[in-house]
Amino acid sequence: QTQLLGVLLAAASNFLISVSLNIQKCAHLRLVCQAQQKPYYTSKLWWCGITLLGLGEVGNFAAYGFAPITLVAPLGCVSVIGSAFISVFFLKKTMRTADILGGTLTITGIYLLVTFAPNVPQELTARQVQNYLVSWPFLLYSILEIIMFCILLYFYKRKAVKHIVVLLMMVALLASLTVIAVKAVSSMIALSVKGKMQLTYSVFYIMSVLMATSCAFQIKFLNQAMHLYEATAVVPINFVFFTISAIVSGVIFYREFQSAALPSVFMFLLGCLLSSLGVIIIARNKKEEHLQIPFIDCGHIPGQKLTGKIQPDSHSSCYGTLNKEDDLLKRQS
């Protein structure tokens, strides 16, 4: 029953996140269409979306306290599939064949995930977390992860390699630490609420700091990837990398598949594969939407004899430039 509660929390939270993202997008589009432009934070609709996003993230955090990492993390695909179908109603997008096929694969994968997920006790005490932190499998895993991250960071900083795989691999390595810390903190808070106080142990605050730090750097590299690449490429790759890293960290740190039968492990991994394939199909060939604004009218510019228009240049780092006065005079003549 506890694990089922975690599954329902994770699914509902990710669905809320997909709704919130579409509401925010809808609010931005409405503001753009208004004659008098206003900041997005003045929109009640945008704040509604932010509130739902916050509720979704809190629900995801709580879900880690009731269900295994290897089950909660892959359920992030609910937000992707939910966003694809909700956008049809919110943003009036056309339902594609790829959306239906991807959605079918994702739902099938979710069913396999829930059915064959490892059934492990979820009451995680502070002493258990301490024992897991000093276990040799986790120490070996941490050393390998630090080495991999340092190599990727070297190429990113020194060699200026900003390939999408490099960026999202760093995000995934940080995400593995984030989910480990989130699981520990959420479980200790849940036990404390039930009357078994765990907040007096120093490991609770160590894991809280680890959670906040890894999450902050994870967001930094993910934002960099979103800035350099299309969201349709970042979302599926990030989901696949995050799911793999979360499952590996759950298996190594919390030993969630320690007593699982081999057929169950195979069917669970098949569920992960199908859900990942569904996310990739939904995002594949999905073009980014750009606002259809051909130019920005500058109005009267003091010191200029001719009114110019800034033409957006999609191939330049700056949004647009004014033609030089000589060029304007040549065109006028």
Side-chain angles (χ1 to χ4, degrees), residues 121-134:
Q122 295 306 312
E123 286 200 352
L124 189 65
T125 64
R127 291 191 181 277
Q128 286 177 307
V129 175
Q130 289 174 348
N131 293 332
Y132 289 149
L133 279 173
V134 296

Side-chain angles (χ1 to χ4, degrees), residues 36-47:
Q36 184 180 0
Q37 296 298 311
K38 296 180 180 179
Y40 62 87
Y41 50 80
T42 61
S43 170
K44 294 181 180 178
L45 188 62
W46 183 83
W47 279 109

